[in-house]
Amino acid sequence: MKLITDVARQAGITEEDLELYGKYKAKLSRDLWEKVADRPDGKLVLVTAMNPNPAGVGKTLTTIGLSQALNRIGKKTFAALREPSLGPCLGMKGGATGSGKAEILPADEINLHFTGDLHAITAAHNLLAAMIDNHLYHGNARRIDPKKIVWKRAMDMNDRALRQIVVGLGDGNGPLREDGFLITPASEIMAILCLSEQMDDLRERLGRIIIGYDQDGQPVTPRDIHAVDAMCVLLKDALKPNLVQTTEGTPVIVHGGPFANIAHGCSSVIGTKLALKLADYVVTEAGFGADLGAEKFFDITCRSAGLTPSAAVLVITVKALKYNGGIGAADLHRENLAALKNGFANVQRHVENLRRFGVPTVVAVNRFATDTPAELDAVLAMCRELGVDAALSTVWEEGGKGGIELAEAVVRAAEQPSSFAFLYEDRLSPREKIETIVKKLYRGSAVTFSGAALKTLEKADGMGLSRLPVCMAKTPYSFTDQPDRLGAPTDFTIHVSEIRISAGAGFLVVLTGSLLTMPGLPKKPAAEALRVDEHGRVTGLA
């Protein structure tokens, strides 16, 4: 592992623009942007995937390996990734820094406390929650209705026992009311930080958060209870992007970590824009499959930040194809060409959707050791029939060397003229935007809305928020809102159960099916495997 000062120097960043957090990680100063702002942008490549499966697909792994491979073929490249959340790291998922020879380092520190960004977001979130209850306790001058407070508390840990709580118990502790916790990556402050471009933008967005409603049904914001500036103080360092490296010394900006099922699921705009000024190519990723992460990256992040992607990479695996073809998790290691071909419908749907955005697309076949030559040949043949460039990726085993074929395909795609376009226009109503996503992208036939969801749409319209983009929250495993409907289903109905107004982030969250904003730990959490030795070395985060 190189010193972070050496990684920065090779990327054209001087030590005076680094705020060091030890030897191997640093924050990038605000002054750096002023020095590079007039430079032309590099090419932006989005890594997305087919619908996930129990065996994993490898988006982060591919993102890291591709960035290394692009550097190997002479393209100055940065990767731009989200920060891992402690909840999934200690719960079901484990570490989120890649693996093998395509990993970001120092992996244990990035997966755990890193530079404290998620802790700062948690603190700012809970400061606001505390100031709401303090406002109620000291006379409630803003006439907030305690039953209509929508701002919960947050922590970066999976703890199902905190989903619903009661606060104010005991004499002198404020009004008794129901409350609850969500996990930090689901906080609107996380989404705000990732979409903000500077402190003034952050301050403005924080001031627009709707924390609840008063006795007359009017929205109440952090600005109304004088919380915004203190929140900015807590977030001032978290707003600065973090610089780390891959196993081959490729620079990586790791910043922000919104979930892709309740938020937009992309790393920060600040980090991405800075990387585009420092590199020929920037490889970023969006959470979950392309139906969630890529759609939000295009329709929310790119719309908000004025970004134009040059190419997209769709990561697929033989196991994921067989899973979507009807094979259970226990049998995914067995050769099954029939299931493979059935599951390819899922890949075809995603490729068609990415093309709908006008983005040149390359398929990366992330190879597993159990994949047979016949299966790999069949996948590549089906990609050729679909008319999409595809390449085997062996970056886990070989690092950048194993991604050179993919890197060359990405360069060919990125050099094509861009015809990038959003899926829907701002002028459409939120209901029309939702129906456009469901019918054009998911291939559903109808959308139904609960009474509560319709009331929220009316409320948003009354507040002048109807032009906001929509952030779909649904299962990542299916194009539908039912996780067991795999492959490429058609002619189904999506039910919208709830809509939440994220006025600060700048989108409407559309909840479908059953969705939790505070996960629970599995029967055998990943935390059980963590160990630290007498030298402070951490193991078990894979």
Side-chain angles (χ1 to χ4, degrees):
M1 186 165 38
K2 299 178 181 178
L3 295 174
I4 198 62
T5 50
D6 293 338
V7 174
R9 188 179 305 111
Q10 292 170 7
I13 303 170
T14 63
E15 192 165 346
E16 67 180 8
D17 287 315
L18 300 179
E19 297 178 10
L20 297 175
Y21 282 65
K23 296 180 180 180
Y24 305 111
K25 56 188 188 290
K27 281 192 170 289
L28 299 173
S29 74
R30 294 188 183 94
D31 294 337
L32 179 58
W33 174 257
E34 301 301 326
K35 296 176 182 179
V36 301
D38 293 334
R39 294 183 186 179
D41 286 342
K43 294 184 181 294
L44 180 60
V45 178
L46 174 70
V47 176
T48 183
M50 64 185 297
N51 292 102
N53 69 99
V57 177
K59 277 200 317 298
T60 303
L61 174 82
T62 302
T63 301
I64 297 165
L66 174 58
S67 71
Q68 295 178 155
L70 284 164
N71 272 312
R72 280 178 175 254
I73 65 172
K75 306 295 183 183
K76 185 180 179 182
T77 303
F78 270 62
L81 295 169
R82 291 176 295 166
E83 299 180 43
S85 162
L86 281 176
C89 282
L90 302 179
M92 182 177 293
K93 186 176 182 179
T97 53
S99 58
K101 293 185 177 180
E103 188 174 27
I104 50 175
L105 306 172
D108 59 336
E109 295 179 28
I110 296 169
N111 276 313
L112 298 175
H113 303 293
F114 198 21
T115 58
D117 291 350
L118 269 73
H119 299 317
I121 291 167
T122 303
H125 184 111
N126 289 331
L127 170 66
L128 179 55
M131 289 186 73
I132 292 169
D133 281 306
N134 190 58
H135 186 87
L136 297 179
Y137 180 78
H138 287 290
N140 194 8
R142 190 57 182 78
R143 299 176 62 246
I144 300 171
D145 186 341
K147 294 182 179 180
K148 294 181 180 178
I149 294 172
V150 297
W151 191 257
K152 295 185 176 183
R153 285 158 163 82
M155 66 182 299
D156 191 32
M157 195 64 64
N158 293 3
D159 193 346
R160 63 173 58 85
L162 295 177
R163 289 171 184 163
Q164 292 176 290
I165 64 171
V166 175
V167 296
L169 289 169
D171 293 337
N173 295 325
L176 193 70
R177 66 180 186 86
E178 293 185 8
D179 199 355
F181 276 76
L182 44 78
I183 192 167
T184 299
S187 167
E188 187 178 351
I189 294 177
M190 174 66 81
I192 286 172
L193 181 123
C194 287
L195 289 169
S196 298
E197 299 197 35
Q198 56 186 342
M199 178 57 74
D200 287 345
D201 187 17
L202 176 71
R203 182 180 289 107
E204 174 62 28
R205 288 175 178 270
L206 291 173
R208 295 201 308 258
I209 293 171
I210 296 174
I211 59 176
Y213 299 87
D214 65 17
Q215 300 290 345
D216 299 319
Q218 296 302 307
V220 183
T221 69
R223 191 180 292 115
D224 293 324
I225 60 171
H226 312 293
V228 175
D229 285 313
M231 294 162 70
C232 288
V233 170
L234 292 175
L235 295 169
K236 67 180 180 65
D237 291 324
L239 192 59
K240 302 171 188 174
N242 307 293
L243 181 68
V244 291
Q245 63 187 294
T246 73
T247 47
E248 295 182 5
T250 293
V252 186
I253 289 179
V254 179
H255 194 215
F259 278 171
N261 58 350
I262 196 66
H264 61 298
C266 310
S267 57
S268 76
V269 168
I270 288 178
T272 302
K273 284 194 166 185
L274 185 56
L276 286 167
K277 297 296 183 182
L278 295 165
D280 301 325
Y281 279 77
V282 175
V283 186
T284 190
E285 72 163 314
F288 293 131
D291 54 322
L292 281 174
E295 186 273 318
K296 294 174 184 180
F297 179 76
F298 296 145
D299 281 326
I300 296 177
T301 303
C302 291
R303 190 189 304 261
S304 171
L307 297 172
T308 300
S310 296
V313 176
L314 182 74
V315 183
I316 71 173
T317 68
V318 165
K319 289 184 176 182
L321 287 166
K322 289 186 287 191
Y323 184 74
N324 275 276
I327 300 301
D331 295 317
L332 293 178
H333 64 288
R334 304 182 191 280
E335 183 177 288
N336 190 321
L337 295 177
L340 188 77
K341 292 175 181 177
N342 288 337
F344 193 78
N346 186 268
V347 174
Q348 181 174 344
R349 174 78 55 81
H350 286 299
V351 170
E352 290 171 352
N353 287 343
L354 291 170
R355 286 172 170 169
R356 186 182 290 273
F357 287 98
V359 180
T361 300
V362 175
V363 170
V365 184
N366 181 25
R367 195 179 75 185
F368 280 62
T370 56
D371 299 344
T372 68
E375 289 174 325
L376 294 171
D377 288 345
V379 172
L380 293 174
M382 287 186 287
C383 288
R384 285 194 296 271
E385 290 175 11
L386 190 57
V388 63
D389 209 352
L392 288 180
S393 174
T394 57
V395 297
W396 183 89
E397 180 183 3
E398 299 182 287
K401 179 183 175 183
I404 288 178
E405 182 186 357
L406 174 61
E408 291 172 341
V410 167
V411 170
R412 288 194 298 270
E415 289 177 346
Q416 298 176 25
S418 175
S419 55
F420 174 64
F422 304 127
L423 186 65
Y424 53 78
E425 298 178 14
D426 289 335
R427 63 175 178 79
L428 295 181
S429 70
R431 184 165 185 162
E432 290 172 319
K433 292 168 185 171
I434 296 166
E435 290 172 344
T436 296
I437 293 172
V438 169
K439 293 178 180 180
K440 290 188 176 181
L441 223 60
Y442 303 164
R443 307 301 200 278
S445 56
V447 185
T448 61
F449 295 82
S450 69
L454 291 174
K455 286 182 179 179
T456 303
L457 288 181
E458 292 178 8
K459 189 177 295 183
D461 185 55
M463 289 188 285
L465 301 177
S466 291
R467 291 179 63 85
L468 294 181
V470 295
C471 181
M472 300 297 292
K474 71 172 185 67
T475 175
Y477 299 105
S478 172
F479 283 104
T480 74
D481 55 8
Q482 302 168 51
D484 57 347
R485 292 197 64 178
L486 305 178
T490 58
D491 194 27
F492 54 85
T493 298
I494 292 282
H495 178 65
V496 176
S497 56
E498 183 183 352
I499 294 176
R500 298 177 185 173
I501 301 173
S502 292
F507 50 69
L508 304 177
V509 181
V510 181
L511 282 79
T512 68
S514 57
L515 193 75
L516 296 172
T517 56
M518 170 55 83
L521 292 172
K523 185 174 183 179
K524 187 174 178 63
E528 292 183 6
L530 284 186
R531 300 289 185 274
V532 60
D533 65 18
E534 62 273 18
H535 303 292
R537 289 188 292 259
V538 175
T539 57
L541 266 171

